Amino acid sequence: MKVKPLADRVLVKPEKAESKTASGIIIPDAAQEKTQTAIVEEIGPGTEKDPVTVKKGDRIMYDKYSGTQVKIDGDEYLIVKMSDIIAVIEK
């Protein structure tokens, strides 16, 4: 199935948060960081007021409680507004 976000929305695939430290300590979900990362899968066309400034393939940072969760072909995705994206992570 192909999903194309509308307006200033962005479809992202969340990356799994680290559940174990380098030394082997398991981190419970409640103690994990609130800021999440994801890969941009699709972008909407944007609006004059809110242009989309990320591109497909960008690794972004967004707030944990933003967006709408959707399941597409068995995979978990998130649709977030451009204003909910905190940063683009560059290598």
Side-chain angles (χ1 to χ4, degrees), residues 46-51:
T47 63
E48 284 185 33
K49 182 181 172 191
D50 297 308

Side-chain angles (χ1 to χ4, degrees), residues 24-61:
I25 298 171
I26 296 175
I27 305 168
D29 288 341
Q32 291 180 7
E33 292 183 32
K34 301 294 184 221
T35 302
Q36 303 292 314
T37 60
I39 303 296
V40 175
E41 297 290 325
E42 288 290 335
I43 59 172
T47 63
E48 284 185 33
K49 182 181 172 191
D50 297 308
V52 175
T53 57
V54 295
K55 60 186 181 300
K56 212 171 164 177
D58 279 352
R59 187 166 178 238
I60 56 116
M61 201 181 281

Side-chain angles (χ1 to χ4, degrees), residues 2 7 9 12 20 25-26 47 62-63 70 80 85 91:
K2 180 96 169 156
R9 290 177 173 78
V12 298
K20 192 186 286 189
I25 298 171
I26 296 175
T47 63
Y62 65 95
D63 187 59
V70 293
V80 297
I85 296 175
K91 293 182 181 185

